[in-house]
Each structure stands twice: as C-alpha cells, then as structure tokens.
C-alpha cells in the first residue's frame, strides 16, 4: 500500500533538515545541489560556518559590533553564523562573484 506519492516522500527529509539545523534562516541555505564550492551537505555547511566564526572571534578578535566585508562569499557558508553573532550595530556585507 502506498501512503504518500513518491515525489512527496522523497522531498520531506530534504526540506526538514535545513529547518532543523538552521531554524528561521533555513530558507537562506542553498539546496545541496547548489553547494559547488566546498563540502556538500547541510551538516557540513553548518559546521564549516561555525568553525570559521570561531576563528574570526578567537584568532581575529571579531567583536559583535564590528563590520565584516566578505569578499568572495560564495554560497554563504560563513554568512549565517556571522549574522547571528553580529549585533545590530555591527554589519555583514558580501561580495558575490
Ligand atoms: C573557495 S570559495 C570560498 C567561498 C566562501 N568564502 C566560503 O568560505 O565558503 C572562493 C569564492 O570566491 C569567489 N571569487 C573568486 N574570485 C573572486 C573575485 N575576483 N571577486 C569576487 N568573488 C570571487 C569564488 O566565486 C568563490 O565563490
């Protein structure tokens, strides 16, 4: 017995994973088919961004009220943790080629 149409059944995990991992930012995360410039997968996308935020803060001393210019941001792998970290008086701008 078929409970759901095949297409719907295949789509559900892909739609729910970004929501689980990124919450209100989920719609800003590209689908895995568009992750062309680094590791592919939602977990990896999130881990990579968080790892680099730690570098910016611990090694670079980035403060929440500072301004970040991201030249060559690609698909925004570093973007979501950064905008979550930065305060309203800080800012993030990206240059996308
Ligand atoms: C190795 S990827 C890194 C992407 C992203 N910063 C990250 O960490 O996931 C380098 C990115 O820089 C972009 N890029 C390379 N040359 C550029 C240029 N002259 N102007 C703007 N972007 C450039 C590429 O398109 C690519 O998306």
């Amino acid at each position: 017995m078929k409970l759901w149409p095949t297409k719907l059944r295949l789509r559900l995990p892909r739609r729910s994973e970004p929501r689980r991992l990124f919450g209100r930012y989920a719609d800003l995360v590209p689908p895995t088919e568009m992750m062309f410039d680094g590791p592919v997968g939602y977990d990896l996308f999130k881990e990579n961004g968080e790892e680099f935020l730690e570098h910016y803060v611990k090694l670079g001393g980035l403060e929440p009220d500072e301004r970040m210019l991201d030249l060559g941001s690609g698909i925004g792998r570093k973007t979501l943790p950064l905008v979550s970290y930065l305060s309203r008086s800080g800012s993030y701008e990206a240059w996308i080629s």
Side-chain angles (χ1 to χ4, degrees):
M1 185 174 66
K2 210 170 169 183
L3 294 177
W4 287 338
T6 308
K7 273 187 182 170
L8 181 60
R9 198 176 56 226
L10 291 175
R11 273 193 204 140
L12 277 176
R14 293 172 54 181
R15 283 173 180 264
S16 62
E17 195 180 1
R19 190 71 54 206
R20 177 176 63 79
L21 290 169
F22 301 98
R24 66 192 172 113
Y25 293 119
D27 292 340
L28 302 175
V29 177
T32 52
E33 308 87 77
M34 294 178 74
M35 294 183 182
F36 61 89
D37 63 355
V40 175
Y42 296 116
D43 283 316
L44 294 170
F45 187 93
K46 185 176 170 107
E47 279 168 26
N48 184 263
E50 289 174 349
E51 178 190 341
F52 273 78
L53 175 62
E54 199 174 318
H55 295 325
Y56 302 145
V57 174
K58 288 189 177 164
L59 301 176
L62 181 69
E63 299 282 344
D65 61 348
E66 289 185 313
R67 301 170 66 199
M68 168 71 86
L69 175 60
D70 188 353
L71 295 172
S73 62
I75 58 173
R77 219 173 273 280
K78 315 297 188 289
T79 305
L80 297 183
L82 268 168
V83 297
S84 303
Y85 174 75
L86 294 170
S87 71
R88 282 184 176 275
S89 50
S91 69
Y92 170 85
E93 288 181 64
W95 180 269
I96 304 168
S97 56

